[in-house]
Structures are given as C-alpha cells and as structure tokens.
C-alpha cells in the first residue's frame, strides 16, 4: 500500500499583521488631479488603527504560503458527502472574468446589459427544464438562502389562499439548515422518522390541516432515492400542504428524473454542487429556486423576462415576497454554471449523473464488509458507512484524521445525524477508477490499523503542518481577531 | 466528455465489481413512474472554443467602464482592483476548497478568515466580525434579526435614506416574524430626520437602521442617531454600502453602533452585474453568542502551535437546528479573501489615500455640476463619493443624453422615490480622472437650460 501523502517543504508563516513595517506600501494610486477636499474634524478619523503596512511582495508571499496549507479539489480527491466537490472546469474561470461580464454594473440601463440578461434568462430556462419546474429565480446567494426563499414563497402562497398554517414537517434525514429555515419563516417544526426511506404512511400520520409544508431531500442525505415520493406528495397535497425539496443532491438525477414531475412544488439548486462552480473555501455559491406555475407569482423580484428579442428585469409582480438580497443574484457564479451546462449538453449532464452514481456504488462495493453499512438499499451518488465495526476504540473522527496522512481530504463525518458515527462518502463523477482504488486501499489499510495499531489513529494526523486542534479551548475563550 | 474520466473498459470493470449488469440498473431505486423518458431539451454541448466565442458575444452586449465613462454607484462601485488580488485568489488551493471543516488541512482559508475578521473589526471599530455573509442587504437583514433577538423587542425603524434594496431585503426576511417595520423620513440635508426619529423611538424599539454613508451618499450624524436609540434601549444597526468611506470617516463603533452590517464589494471584488459580493457583519463582544454566521477562532494544536478553527458552532444550524441564530451555511469565503488581500495591499496609508481621492474627486464634480445652469444639489448634508443631482429637464432625459455621448452618468431615483423625477445619483471614484469628470460636466452643460 503506497501512501500519497508525504512530508515535504512545509513553509511557516506569521499573521499578516506581524509582517507589518511602518512606511511600507503595496499599492499605487495615480497622482490626485483635483484639489484635495477637506472633511470636518467631527466626521474624520485619524487612521485605521492596526491596519498593516506591507510591500506587494510581502502580500503575495504571505497568501501564496497560506494557500499551501489548504487542500482543494485540484489537490486531490475531496469526497465530502452531500457537499459534492467535483472538478471545477478552468474555462469557466476565464468566462466569468471576461470584462463584459465581470465589469458590468448592476444599475447599467437594461438595453446596455442585454448580454448579462440573456445569459440569466437562458440559465433560468435551462434550470426549469432540468428540474421540471415552471419558473426559476436566480436571486438567492446560496442553498440555505434558496431554502429561505422557497419557504417564504410557500407561506406567501398559502396566505394568499387565506390559509395561515403553522407547522412544517421535516424528516430526520434533513439538512440542518431545513429546521432553521422553517423557524425563520415563523413555522414550528414537526419531525418525522424515516428509517432510511420516508414512507407515505409516516407522513400521513403527522399530516393535517395545520401543516404548511413538508421539507424533503431527494435523494436524501443517506444517498437513497425517496421511492415513495409521489405518494408522499399526494398525501401532503390532499390536506392542502405543499412540498419543498432540498435540491442539494440533484446531481444524482440529471436527465434521469425531475423533481417537478414527482409532485414537488418548490426546490432550490446548489449551483456549486450540481453545476461544478467552485466553492471558494466556503462560498460564494448560488441557490436558485424553481417552483410550479401556481407559486411563480410569489417569487422574488425581479425576474428576467424576454419581450420579443429584448430581455428585461420584471419588477411588476404584485404577489412577490420581495427581495432576498440586493441586485439579481451571484451573477459570476451563474456564468460558471451556464458555461458548465453548455459544455456538457443534455447527454453530458446525464452521463455525469450516471458516473457519479457508478463511482459511489463502486466505493460501496469495495468497502462494504470492512466498514459497516447501515442501510442496504441501492446507493445513488453517495454512500454512508458507520464506525460500528472498527477496532481499537477508533471512531469516525480518527479515521478522518488518519485519511489526511494518506493524502486525502476526509469524507463528511457524523452526518447524517440518524447514523451513529456516520462516514458519508461522495466521490463525484470526475474521479477515475485508479483514484477510487487508491482511496479505497487507504480506507481498508486504516481499518486494518484500527485492529493492529489504533494509537496511530488516535494521534492522527501525523504528517500535517499542525496536529489536532484544541477546539474546546477555542470556544471557551474565543479569540476572534488579532490583538497584537 | 473531458471532465469525466471513465473509459468503456473502466465502466465494464466497475459494474462487475458492483455486481450489476448495466449503468441503468444502478437506478433501480428510482420508480419507473417518475423517470424522464426523453433527453433533456437543452442545446447540444459546446466545445471550449465555441463556448468562449458564445460568452464573448454576450459579454460584448454589456456596457462597462471600458466601453463607457461610468459614474454609477448606488451600492456597487467601480474601484481599481490590483492585479495581485485576482492572481492570488486564482490559486486553486483557495478557490477549489470547501468550508474548512478539517482544520489541519484548511489552515490557509482559516488564517485568512481570521485576518479578515481582524481587518473588519479595525475598520468598523467593533469587537467581533463574522467570516462573512452573502451581501450588504442580507447582512443588514441579519443585523435586524440579531437586534430583535438581543432586545426581545418587536419594532424596527428603517431610515428611508437607507439603500432601497436593503430595506426591501429586511422587509422580506422579517415578513412572517410579526415585527413592526416603520420608515423614518429624511430631511433637507438628505439625512435621517432627527425629529421624526425621536418621535418614533420608544421602549418597544429593537433597532434603528441607518446607512453610513446613506443611499444618497450623505454622511449621517451617526453619533446623534445612536444616542437617541440608546436612550430608548434600542440597537443602532449601521449599514455601510461603500466601505472605502471608512478609511476616512469615524468608525461606526466609535460613534456608538451596536451592529455594523455592510457591503465589501469595494474591496477588490469585481462588479459582476451585482454579485457575488461580500456581506460583512460586526458586533459588540457582549452579543458574540447571538451573532449569525460562521466564526474563526485562534487556538493551539496538540503540540502547542498556533492555529485556527471554526468556533462557537453551538449557535449554528447544524447543531441548534430550529433554534439556530440563523440558517446561514455558506459564506462568501473567496470574496472575504479578496477583501483581505486588497486591504493588506492598501494598508494603513492606502485605505486613507484612496478614500481621500474618492472624496476629493466627488467634491470637484459636485462643485462643477452645482455651478451649471439647470442643475442643483438638493441635499445639503456632507457626502463621500456620491451625491444626488437635481436636473430641471428630468433625470431620464439627462441620463439618456449622456448615454448617447457614451457616459453612464448616474442612477435615476424616481424608481424608488416617487415624486423625484429630476433627481439622480452620481458616483465618482479614484477611477475617474479629472478629464472624465470634465467630460461629464460638459455633456451635462451641453443640454442644460
């Protein structure tokens, strides 16, 4: 078994503030060509205390060194389940930086922004086709922001019917943002247990005239397709409720099935997960929302519409919930997603889904038997194991940290909450079989280490620049900024 | 398909390992009734060269500061972005990483965010900043929600001189939370009307929200607003849509703000037709645990070395679920990195110098325009880098005339403020040379009466 991780040149680096030397400059400005303007002493500050003073090379070297402490998709396999870390095509970066796109001001007159509006319109149409919904807003800035938007739309629709319901049903396999979002919309959360797949009968048992919506993730966070989805939607609709789908796992369904065709009323897309836009160490993402025809009037303003050959922003939507952010959405991310959809075409998107599912099932086949598999149904794009059968008092966290020594970013750990000691692996379609094999070999070697040398796992990672951190101390005595 | 590595032979072998006969069989969990039985109706795939040509054609249909003289602001600003910013954020270790859940291999992101939090605290004069939010408007909405949590009160006062899209976003976020939202009018100076503020403030008020500078570019008397708010036990949320101003203006913290929510696009982030931008959010130490968003904190590893981790996660959605302080999950990490690099390059002298240039150039433009017949400055309050102009002949007519001369001269205000047909907002930054300003003034004069 060969280890991909090795020790090597590991650079040390201070905080940017600790590099500061009074008098250094890292910028240049043109000479001021107008008279200086005074500002009254009552309004002005003297300086920004604490700001660093550095040369350009100081800054370049600082952040270059910091970058070497990070692991990205371009560094290697990043099998974070439910986060879908697939390869980010480079041409999309070039596209988003075209001057006509990156330099466009959001308040430029519409007839001088036809390129941007056309791109947004075509993306809205493409997302509607991919998901089977009637209308799409591109405004939300992230998945959870899309959830908030979608749930606000649901509430607005119900209130327009004169129906002010108070509750939202959320299965135990849900993303943590779902209950928080429901609470933000003024709803009380009703949990429902799923046993891996949510049954229509379980929903029927809690569904009543007080329930505004059911929030479901499909495929769910166990990587399983909710096979009773149509029946579930029928149960909810029969009692006057609506169905929200967390679209985090849409990458398992491209060209295979469409949430809009299953009876779902609202869904958000995570463009970074499904359409390969990079996530930048935690963002930006983009969280467009698709809805049925009935819900379309309630979407945020503005929507991009086409009048003849002209694209424009439509603010004339009297039932709209309003805005969820300034301007129109994370346009730079929308450009990347559109570039991805154009590069792939319909066959390519379907092929991506097929290979993502094949890769997940391949990993499952190779690790099953060594790692405990809590749910035996066919996996979609991700597979969830648990630490139940590991030796030497080793837990999921130990496996994760040991994987770092083998040169991999760990999978998602301790999620979903319904599996004790969950290890959730999502390889995505952009990994080749050799990489999957090497990763599985590492996982198998680690399982063996839990029997033979568990201490190695308890101490891992051993080859990184820093070792395990004291997270309790960080929370107990928070130091959130540099104070000199 | 160049992003997908599988050969026919790979697929055959992998299916064998999985123990199924075909790729189709992998989808047995998806009932036939919900299957799509046709290909998606999308355009056929474009080769890399075709894609770039297509996007190039779209890009060419947008006006930018390269094709026009631009004086557009209103919450999105054309500032110079040093080459270093894009070069560094283009390092794929930064942009292809995820949220730093595994601190041992995410120290680059974590340390940069810690530096970002520090810079935002220094700039705003506050105790703690989070690891960023979606944008200025949503950050402002989170500020209101936090003030409501902290004061346990239900009335919110929003200045009518606050950015209209920030006000709209706050209204959407609070739509179903049974809060009372009231707008405070502005006065002849273009500032939040002090008398009305006093009249509306009471012991039920959770928050007063004011722009700094406000949407009209006017510098509010933040100290007076905060004193009035604090007299009633209300929070002051200062919303900063143009943070370059903080290089020169007293910090909102110094003037008594309890929460500073703002837009960081000016710090090295491209205009990008409105996003992605950078919401920044800062608060007082006492409110740390009710702050929304992610936080990065300093700690040590098992060998005593300094390092950084995500911390205080007990406030967050993945632990507290429906009791979480907000549903925020993603932040704008890469945009926060852009701001950190930009501010590091500018440093103590640069942030002041660029702010001074913005002020000086806007003052120059202001005086020249005020001297033109047919034009006036309706608001008397001090401004930073943008200001409102009143045109006798109507804003749309004037802006249309400028556009014909290749100038994006400003933003008409009538769409947000009915009954202001003659008024438009003009923004001048360090990117506008004196010659450009003179061209604008001459073009305005050309049609003046």
């Amino acid at each position: 078994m060969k280890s991909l991780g090795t020790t090597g040149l590991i650079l040390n680096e201070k905080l940017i503030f600790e590099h500061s030397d009074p008098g250094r400059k890292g910028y240049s400005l043109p000479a001021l060509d107008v008279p200086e303007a005074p500002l009254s002493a009552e309004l002005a500050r003297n300086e920004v205390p604490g700001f660093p003073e550095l040369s350009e090379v100081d800054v370049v070297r600082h952040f270059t060194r910091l970058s070497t402490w990070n692991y990205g998709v371009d560094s290697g396999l990043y099998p974070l389940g439910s986060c879908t870390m697939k390869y980010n095509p480079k041409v999309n970066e070039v596209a988003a930086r075209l001057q006509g796109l990156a330099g466009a001001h959001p308040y430029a007159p519409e007839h001088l922004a036809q390129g941007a509006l056309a791109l947004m319109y075509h993306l809205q149409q493409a997302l509607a086709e991919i998901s089977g919904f009637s209308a799409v807003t591109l405004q939300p800035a992230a998945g959870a922001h899309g959830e908030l938007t979608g749930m606000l739309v649901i509430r607005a629709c119900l209130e327009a019917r004169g129906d002010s319901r108070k509750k939202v049903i959320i299965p135990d396999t849900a993303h943590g943002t779902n209950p928080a979002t429901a609470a933000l919309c003024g709803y009380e959360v009703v949990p429902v247990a799923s046993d891996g797949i949510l049954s229509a009968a379980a929903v029927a048992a809690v569904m009543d005239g007080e329930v505004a919506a059911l929030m479901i993730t499909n495929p769910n966070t166990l990587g399983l397709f909710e096979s009773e989805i149509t029946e579930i939607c029928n149960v909810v609709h029969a009692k006057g409720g609506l169905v929200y789908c967390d679209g985090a796992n849409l990458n398992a369904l491209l060209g295979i099935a469409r949430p809009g065709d299953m009876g779902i009323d609202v869904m958000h897309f995570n463009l970074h997960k499904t359409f390969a836009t990079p996530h930048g160490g935690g963002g930006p993402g983009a969280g467009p929302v698709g809805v049925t025809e009935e819900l379309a009037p309630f979407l945020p303003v503005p929507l991009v519409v086409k009048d003849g050959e002209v694209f424009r922003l439509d603010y004339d939507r009297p039932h709209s919930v309003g805005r969820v952010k300034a301007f129109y959405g994370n346009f730079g991310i929308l450009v990347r997603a559109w570039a991805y959809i154009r590069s792939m075409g319909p066959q390519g998107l379907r092929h991506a889904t097929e290979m993502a599912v094949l890769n997940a099932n391949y990993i499952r086949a190779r690790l099953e038997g060594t790692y405990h598999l809590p749910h035996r149904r066919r996996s979609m794009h991700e597979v969830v194991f648990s630490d139940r059968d590991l030796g030497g008092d080793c837990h999921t966290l130990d496996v994760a940290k040991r994987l770092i020594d083998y040169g991999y970013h760990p999978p998602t750990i301790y999620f979903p909450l319904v599996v004790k000691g969950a290890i959730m692996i999502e390889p995505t379609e952009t990994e080749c079989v050799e990489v999957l094999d090497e990763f599985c070999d590492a996982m198998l070697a680690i399982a063996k280490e839990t029997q033979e040398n568990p201490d190695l796992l308890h101490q891992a990672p051993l080859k990184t620049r820093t070792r395990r951190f004291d997270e309790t101390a960080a929370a107990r005595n928070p130091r959130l900024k540099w104070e000199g | 398909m160049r992003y997908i590595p599988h050969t026919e032979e790979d697929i055959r072998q992998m299916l064998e390992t999985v123990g199924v006969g075909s790729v189709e069989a992998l989808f047995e969990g998806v009932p036939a009734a919900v299957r799509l039985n046709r290909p998606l109706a999308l355009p056929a795939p474009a080769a890399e060269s075709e894609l770039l040509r297509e996007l190039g054609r779209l890009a060419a249909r947008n006006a930018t500061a390269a094709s026009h003289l631009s004086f557009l602001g209103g919450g999105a600003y054309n500032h110079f972005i040093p080459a270093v910013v894009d070069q560094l954020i283009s390092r794929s270790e930064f942009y292809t990483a995820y949220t730093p859940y595994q601190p041992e291999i995410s120290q680059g992101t974590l340390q940069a965010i810690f530096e970002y939090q520090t810079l935002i605290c220094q700039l705003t004069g506050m105790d703690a900043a989070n690891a960023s939010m979606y944008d200025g408007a949503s950050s402002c909405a989170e500020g209101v929600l936090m003030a409501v949590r902290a004061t346990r009160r239900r009335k919110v006062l929003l200045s009518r001189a606050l950015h209209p899209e920030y006000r709209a976003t706050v209204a959407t976020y609070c739509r179903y939370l049974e809060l009372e939202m009231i707008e405070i009018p502005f006065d002849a100076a273009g500032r939040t009307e002090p008398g009305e503020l006093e009249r509306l403030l009471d012991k039920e008020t959770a928050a007063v929200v004011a722009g700094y500078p406000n949407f009209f570019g006017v510098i509010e008397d933040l100290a007076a607003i905060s004193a009035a708010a604090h007299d009633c036990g209300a929070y002051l949320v200062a919303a900063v849509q143009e943070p370059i101003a903080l290089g020169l203006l007293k910090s909102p913290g110094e003037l008594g703000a309890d929460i500073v929510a703002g837009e960081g696009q000016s710090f090295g982030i491209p205009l990008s037709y409105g996003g992605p931008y950078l919401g920044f959010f800062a608060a007082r130490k006492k409110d740390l645990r009710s702050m929304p968003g992610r936080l990065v904190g300093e700690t040590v590893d098992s060998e005593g070395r300094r390092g950084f981790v995500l911390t205080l996660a007990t406030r967050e959605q993945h632990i507290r679920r429906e009791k979480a302080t907000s549903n925020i999950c993603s932040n704008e990490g890469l945009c926060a990195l852009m701001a950190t690099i930009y501010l590091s390059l500018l440093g103590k002298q640069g942030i002041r110098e660029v702010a001074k240039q913005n002020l000086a150039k806007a003052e120059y433009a202001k005086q020249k325009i005020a001297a033109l017949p047919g034009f006036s400055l309706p608001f008397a309050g001090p401004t930073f880098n943008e200001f409102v102009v009143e045109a006798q002949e109507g804003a749309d007519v004037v802006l249309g005339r400028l556009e014909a001369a290749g100038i994006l001269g400003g933003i008409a205000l009538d769409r947000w403020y009915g009954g202001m047909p003659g008024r438009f907002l003009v923004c001048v930054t360090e990117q506008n040379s004196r010659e450009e300003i003179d061209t604008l003034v001459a073009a305005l004069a050309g049609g003046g009466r």
Side-chain angles (χ1 to χ4, degrees):
Chain A
M1 168 60 217
K2 141 185 124 221
S3 155
L4 286 182
T6 66
T7 51
L9 185 64
I10 298 179
L11 302 164
N12 225 341
E13 183 61 13
K14 301 185 273 197
L15 284 164
I16 192 97
F17 308 97
E18 295 162 348
H19 280 291
S20 181
D21 197 1
R24 282 200 186 145
K25 273 186 173 188
Y27 69 95
S28 62
L29 280 168
L32 187 61
D33 55 4
V34 299
E36 259 198 64
L39 190 68
S40 77
E42 178 190 326
L43 298 175
R45 80 199 287 172
N46 287 326
E47 59 169 34
V48 181
F51 256 41
E53 294 175 79
L54 304 149
S55 70
E56 182 172 311
V57 68
D58 292 332
V59 174
V60 168
R61 208 163 269 168
H62 174 74
F63 290 100
T64 302
R65 285 171 174 242
L66 289 192
S67 76
T68 65
W69 298 349
N70 250 19
Y71 190 101
V73 172
D74 287 1
S75 314
L77 179 70
Y78 210 123
L80 269 181
S82 212
C83 300
T84 314
M85 295 294 282
K86 59 172 83 173
Y87 170 71
N88 308 123
K90 301 308 161 195
V91 65
N92 300 357
E93 297 303 307
V94 174
R97 285 167 174 79
L98 292 171
Q99 164 65 19
L101 301 178
H105 192 286
Y107 288 144
E110 283 171 17
H111 65 272
L112 295 178
Q114 286 295 299
L117 291 172
L119 187 149
M120 291 171 72
Y121 179 79
H122 293 313
L123 180 60
Q124 281 177 192
Q125 301 293 103
L127 293 177
E129 164 63 11
I130 287 167
S131 59
F133 289 106
S134 299
V136 171
T137 172
L138 302 175
Q139 196 175 117
H145 205 211
E147 268 176 46
L148 174 62
T149 307
M151 290 304 290
L152 287 169
V153 163
I154 284 180
R155 180 137 184 196
C157 171
L158 291 172
E159 305 233 323
R161 288 182 192 164
D163 198 349
S164 50
R165 299 171 177 232
K166 292 281 174 283
K167 300 191 289 191
V168 167
I169 301 175
I170 302 184
D172 52 7
T173 48
H175 280 107
T177 47
N178 295 171
T181 298
L184 256 177
C185 296
Y187 286 122
E188 182 188 318
V189 173
V190 181
V192 56
S194 69
D195 194 28
I197 299 275
L198 186 62
S199 74
V203 175
V206 287
M207 183 66 209
D208 61 28
E210 275 298 288
V211 173
L214 164 79
M215 293 181 87
I216 192 167
T217 305
N218 196 17
N220 66 28
T221 56
L222 291 161
L224 309 177
F225 188 85
E226 294 286 2
S227 48
E228 295 190 28
I229 185 70
T230 312
E231 294 79 6
I232 291 169
C233 291
N234 289 341
V235 166
V236 176
H237 289 157
K239 292 264 170 72
L242 295 165
V243 179
Y244 184 92
C245 181
D246 183 320
N249 298 332
L250 185 68
N251 64 318
L253 297 181
L254 301 174
I256 302 284
R258 308 193 308 169
D261 297 339
M262 300 172 195
I264 286 161
D265 299 284
V266 189
M267 187 193 77
H268 78 259
F269 305 77
N270 296 75
L271 295 190
H272 64 280
K273 296 186 187 191
T274 308
F275 302 104
T277 73
H279 207 44
V289 170
V291 296
T292 58
E293 203 174 340
E294 187 196 6
L295 291 166
F298 305 97
L299 288 176
V301 279
L303 233 55
V304 183
V305 296
K306 192 177 181 192
D307 272 349
E309 289 310 300
V310 178
F311 300 94
R312 58 179 186 81
L313 293 162
D314 180 13
Y315 287 89
D316 185 19
R317 305 181 66 82
H319 300 291
S320 167
V321 293
R323 291 187 154 273
V324 291
K325 71 182 285 298
F327 312 120
Y328 326 114
N330 279 349
F331 179 73
I333 303 300
L334 306 179
V335 172
R336 291 170 174 89
W338 174 241
Y340 180 74
I341 291 171
R342 287 292 292 117
S343 295
M344 299 295 277
Q347 310 89 327
L349 292 177
R350 184 179 164 117
H351 188 54
T353 285
E354 290 174 345
M355 294 303 105
V357 173
L358 176 61
N359 278 3
N361 280 285
Y362 183 76
I363 286 183
R364 170 175 161 157
R366 288 219 44 207
L367 299 184
E368 200 175 343
T370 303
Y371 286 86
H372 174 66
L373 190 68
H375 291 277
R376 306 207 56 82
R377 288 185 191 235
R378 169 68 59 210
S379 296
M380 298 292 280
H381 59 299
E382 60 197 3
V383 55
V384 178
F385 294 102
S386 87
D387 61 3
R388 201 187 76 179
D389 300 338
L390 296 179
D393 197 30
C394 290
H395 297 283
T396 292
L397 183 72
D398 304 307
V399 174
K401 297 303 183 195
R402 185 63 182 150
L403 261 174
I404 296 173
D405 285 335
Y406 281 88
Y408 297 98
H409 193 287
T412 295
I413 56 172
Y414 300 114
F415 185 81
L417 304 174
V418 286
V419 174
K420 194 166 172 289
I423 305 171
M424 185 196 225
I425 303 172
E426 179 173 11
T428 82
E429 72 277 9
T430 52
E431 299 304 329
C432 65
V433 67
E434 291 82 2
V435 168
L436 302 182
D437 276 333
E438 285 166 356
F439 172 74
C440 290
D441 289 346
M443 287 290 287
L444 296 171
I446 291 168
K448 212 167 161 209
E449 286 173 349
T450 67
Q451 314 281 344
E452 294 168 359
N453 193 359
D455 251 16
L456 214 49
L457 271 82
H458 297 146
Q459 286 170 25
L462 297 157
K463 295 183 180 177
T464 43
R465 184 185 145 268
T466 46
R467 303 281 299 279
R468 279 195 211 183
F469 287 102
D470 188 345
E471 305 202 18
T472 315
R476 196 167 292 154
N477 177 26
R479 292 169 59 92
L480 306 177
K481 61 176 178 173
W482 180 79
E483 311 218 39
Chain B
M1 238 317 96
R2 66 188 192 279
Y3 312 144
I4 301 178
H6 304 70
T7 64
E8 288 300 322
E9 180 55 21
D10 292 339
I11 295 172
R12 197 192 59 75
Q13 285 184 14
M14 291 170 78
L15 288 171
E16 208 174 287
T17 305
V18 172
V20 295
S22 67
V23 169
E24 190 61 26
L26 293 169
F27 292 88
E28 67 189 17
V30 183
V34 299
R35 296 283 188 99
L36 184 67
N37 53 16
R38 61 165 176 84
L40 290 168
L42 294 171
E48 186 164 347
S49 56
E50 293 170 321
L51 174 69
L52 284 173
R53 263 203 304 278
E54 188 180 307
L55 287 167
R57 277 196 295 272
L58 289 173
R61 297 176 66 195
N62 297 329
T64 69
S67 63
H68 287 67
L69 294 191
S70 178
F71 297 92
L72 301 180
Y77 300 93
N78 173 32
H79 290 297
F80 182 71
I81 303 175
V84 165
V85 177
D86 194 53
Q87 287 281 313
L88 288 174
I89 66 121
S90 297
R91 291 191 64 92
S92 68
E93 300 90 337
F94 283 131
Y95 81 85
T96 74
Y98 198 69
T99 305
Y101 290 134
Q102 298 289 341
E104 300 87 354
I105 50 170
S106 310
Q107 284 296 302
T109 293
L110 286 161
Q111 182 167 327
I113 291 175
F114 184 80
E115 293 172 354
Y116 163 81
Q117 291 175 176
T118 307
L119 290 163
I120 294 298
C121 287
Q122 292 166 343
L123 204 56
T124 57
M126 303 299 284
D127 300 326
N130 71 17
S132 81
M133 313 196 74
Y134 307 136
D135 75 340
S138 53
S139 184
C140 185
E142 293 279 0
V144 168
L145 294 180
M146 182 175 140
V148 167
R149 279 195 300 276
T151 60
R152 297 163 189 266
R153 297 176 178 186
R154 313 213 65 83
K155 181 168 156 184
V156 178
L157 305 181
L158 300 168
S159 168
R160 253 178 77 72
L162 173 68
H163 196 303
E165 296 188 359
Y166 289 27
R167 274 184 282 140
T169 304
V170 172
T172 305
Y173 268 70
C174 299
R175 200 177 160 105
Y176 298 115
L177 300 180
E178 288 162 18
L179 303 178
E180 189 185 1
M181 314 285 284
I182 302 175
E183 294 199 338
I184 321 162
F186 49 84
D187 62 14
R191 285 174 157 179
T192 307
E193 157 70 60
E196 281 296 301
L197 172 65
E198 294 278 356
R199 195 180 64 77
L200 292 165
L201 264 167
D202 58 25
K203 300 284 180 201
E204 304 302 309
T205 311
V208 177
V209 191
Y212 183 68
N214 67 27
F215 188 62
F216 305 133
V218 175
I219 304 163
E220 293 273 5
D221 185 351
L222 216 54
I225 299 175
S226 89
H230 291 163
D231 277 351
C232 291
Y235 271 34
L236 169 60
V237 180
V240 182
Q241 67 180 54
E242 170 48 297
I244 294 284
L246 299 184
L248 204 53
L249 299 184
K250 281 201 168 121
S251 74
E254 189 183 346
L255 300 174
D258 300 280
I259 296 168
V260 184
E263 174 52 68
Q265 178 268 327
S266 291
F267 297 152
I269 299 167
L271 284 164
S272 281
Y273 203 56
Y277 286 0
L278 168 67
F280 61 84
F281 190 102
R284 303 279 185 201
K285 199 175 229 160
K286 66 179 166 69
D287 294 318
L288 194 57
R289 284 168 207 271
S290 62
M291 265 176 83
R294 295 188 183 283
L295 298 168
V296 170
E298 185 184 321
T299 188
V300 290
D301 74 355
S302 57
E303 292 176 11
R305 285 173 296 213
R306 176 171 68 184
F308 304 92
V309 294
L310 290 174
T311 194
L312 298 179
T314 47
R315 308 158 303 114
E316 283 187 67
Q317 38 79 22
H318 56 272
I319 297 188
R320 300 242 304 168
R321 295 171 74 91
E322 68 266 25
K323 291 190 174 55
T325 50
S326 87
N327 79 333
I328 284 259
C329 186
S330 282
N331 61 352
E332 305 289 296
L334 199 70
C335 297
L337 178 64
M338 294 185 212
T340 307
I341 297 166
Y342 177 86
L343 292 173
S344 300
L345 286 168
L346 257 63
K348 199 177 273 189
Q349 297 177 61
I351 188 69
R352 192 169 175 80
E353 202 177 322
V354 77
K356 278 185 159 178
Q357 285 217 4
N358 275 261
L359 174 71
K361 296 204 177 209
E363 285 301 316
Y364 174 80
K366 235 168 124 173
Q367 285 168 22
K368 292 268 176 179
I369 294 170
L372 293 176
F375 293 93
S376 60
L377 306 175
F379 296 133
T383 57
F384 176 61
N385 69 355
E386 56 192 329
F387 53 90
V388 176
V389 173
E390 171 112 32
Q392 275 177 16
E393 57 183 326
D396 288 341
V397 177
V398 172
L399 294 175
R401 190 155 54 70
L402 292 176
E403 197 186 297
I407 304 170
L408 301 173
I411 304 163
L413 293 181
D414 201 48
R415 62 192 277 199
W416 297 293
Y417 298 93
M420 283 194 189
R423 293 186 185 179
F424 58 98
L425 188 64
V426 176
C427 174
V428 186
T429 73
E430 81 284 358
Q431 294 273 64
N432 300 112
S433 65
R434 178 181 195 141
E435 194 188 338
E436 284 187 19
I437 300 167
D438 290 341
T439 305
L440 168 71
V441 174
L444 285 170
R449 275 168 282 174

